[in-house]
Amino acid sequence: MLFNYKYSGHTQVYSNATAAGISFAPDIYREPTFFAGKLRKKIAFREAISALHDVVVSDLRFKPKDKTAYKEWAAQQESIWLAEAMGQYDAAAADARIKALQVELTDVQKEKDRVMAPFYKARKTYFDYLYQKDRDAWFVLDPVISVHPDEIFFECFSQDESAYGKLSASYNVFKEVNEFKCGTTNIDYSAALYNEFQKIRDYKETSFTVDPGGFSVQTTREEMFREVKIDLPDSWVRGFLQVSSAMTLPAATFDLHPMDVYNFCLWLRRFKEKKGPRSIRFVLEPGKPVKAIFEPWNKEITCARSIYTGPQRREIRIWGRRRLLILERLIPVAKKFTVHLTGNGLPSFYVADLGDMQFTLGLSGWTANDWSRCGQFDLMAPRAAIDDVSKIKIYNDLQQNWMGRPDEIAARTGLTRAAVLAALGICTQAGKVIYDLHTGYYRLRELSREPLPLDQLRFSNPKEESATRLADEGKVTFAEKLVPGVGLQLEGTIPAHRRSYHPVIVIDGDERLSTGHCDCSDYIANKLHKGPCEHMLALRMVFEKKKQHNG
C-alpha cells in the first residue's frame, strides 16, 4: 500500500548548555496540524519518549543462527577427521602429511584474507548503511502524532508488530503553549533523534514544536521540501485497526505498584528460560494481593502493595513476557501501572500513570502472534445494524468535539447507545477513531489522509467470508436465552457435509461478543486466541439479520 509524505525539511533537535529544542517536521500533504510550547516536565517526558523508542525498535522474533561459516569449516575438517579415524594406516606418515597440509592451508587462508580484506570491509560498510536506512524507514512509518483539545499523543508499532505503544501528554506537561491546531499527521522521525532526546535535562529550557511553518504557502525555496514514498505493509495498518478493537474487550483490571513492575523486570533480567512454558500466570483473588507466577521456575512474586478489587477469582496466563522490559525506563517516574488482561493468550495492556502523561503498552497474545495476522478482534466488536445517516451524524459529532464517551455521544446526537457503539466500531475498523483505554473516550484519529481500502485490510484470513457463506445458505438455526447479569446467550446448530456444529456465543449489553465456544477444530485448537471461529460468526450474523427483520 503506497503512501506519499511531504516534509518541510527534517525534524531538528538542538541542545546547548542552557537550552534544548525539538521541532518535528509534519506531513504537509495532510490537513494542517501543529503545536508549539515549552516542556514543564522534562525528565518524565524524556523517559516516556525513550520508552516509545524502545517499542519502535523492539523485535523479539526468533532469528536462527547463521551456520554458514561452521559448515565451511566442517567441510574442510572432514578429510582431517577421516585420516584421524584411520590411524591404523601408518599413523606417523599420516600425521606428518596432515601437518604439512595444515601449514599450507593456513598460508592459503592468510593470503585469501589479505586479498579479500577490502571486499569484506566494503561489504560491512554497505550492510551497515542498509541497516541504518532500514531503521530510519521504520521510524518514518511508525510515529503518528495527534493534537487534541486536551492532549497530544504519539502512536507506534514494534518492528515485529506484536507491541503497540501510545504516549499521551496533557497540556499540563507544557508551559507557554503558543499555538496549536487539532488533527493527526505523520512526522519525520529518524533513528538519530533518540540520542538527542537523551540530552534533555531538567535545568535546560526545552521547547517542543510540531512545526507550523511547514504549512505556509511557499512560492520559492521548493528545494527545502522533501517527498517520501513509502510502500506501507498492510499488516502495519491492519495492526492499528485491531488494537482499538482489542482494547474494548472485557478484561480483568488491577493496579500494580512501580516496585512490583521492577520486581518483574528484575527477574526477567536475571533469568532466561531454556524451555517452556514461558508464561506469567496471574492469580487474582478479591481483596488479596496480586500474585504473579513465572514459569517454568514457578517463581511466585507477591505484589503486597497491589490489591485485586475484582468480583471473582481468576487465573490468567500471558506469554511473550520479555516485552514487559519496555516498561523499565518508566518505573522511576510512574505513580502506578494499570493492567488490563483480556484472557489466557489474549492481548494485555499496561497503562503507566506518569501524572499528566499516560504511556500505554499493548501486547498481543504472544510474540509470534502479531496484531495483524492472528488477532481478528474486530470480529468481536459490536455489530448492531446502523444506517448511513446515523453513522455520518456520529462521525460529524466527533469531528466537532474530537472525543466523547458512548453515553455522551448518544446524548449529543439523540441516538441509542447500541447505535453509537456500532458506528464507533465501524469508524475504529476504518482507521478514523481510536479508543483511549485510560479515559474511556473514543477519539477522532484519521490514520491516513486517504480512505483505507478496508476490503484489502480487514480480511487476513477467510473466516468472515466463510461465515457469510454459511449464513446465506440458510441452514443456521439457534435458540436464544437471556442470562441475568451476563447477556444474551445464543445456542446454534449448523449442519455440514458429514456432521453438525454447535456454536454457543454470549452477546453482552453493548452488542459485543463477550465469550463463546464451539466444537469445531478451529476453536478446539485456538479457543478465542485468534478470534471467533466461522460458525460463531455465522450464528451471530443470522441473529443480527433476524433482529433487524423483526425490528
Side-chain angles (χ1 to χ4, degrees), residues 415-427:
L415 300 172
T416 64
R417 176 185 171 87
V420 170
L421 285 171
L424 291 174
I426 293 171
C427 292

Side-chain angles (χ1 to χ4, degrees), residues 351-368:
V351 182
D353 183 359
L354 311 178
D356 293 314
M357 289 185 290
Q358 286 76 40
F359 183 93
T360 301
L361 176 65
L363 303 179
S364 61
W366 56 92
T367 306

Side-chain angles (χ1 to χ4, degrees), residues 308-344:
Y308 179 61
T309 58
Q312 59 185 4
R313 186 184 188 278
R314 299 189 65 178
E315 283 194 18
I316 300 176
R317 297 173 74 185
I318 65 168
W319 285 264
R321 59 195 179 191
R322 292 203 169 271
R323 294 172 293 174
L324 292 177
L325 294 174
I326 293 172
L327 300 174
E328 271 187 314
R329 292 200 66 157
L330 302 176
I331 293 173
V333 294
K335 296 181 178 180
K336 65 177 181 178
F337 292 83
T338 302
V339 183
H340 301 260
L341 304 178
T342 58
N344 290 318

Side-chain angles (χ1 to χ4, degrees), residues 76-77 150 190 227 242 341 350 356:
Q76 295 172 0
Q77 289 291 107
D150 62 330
S190 63
E227 294 196 34
Q242 292 290 339
L341 304 178
Y350 307 82
D356 293 314

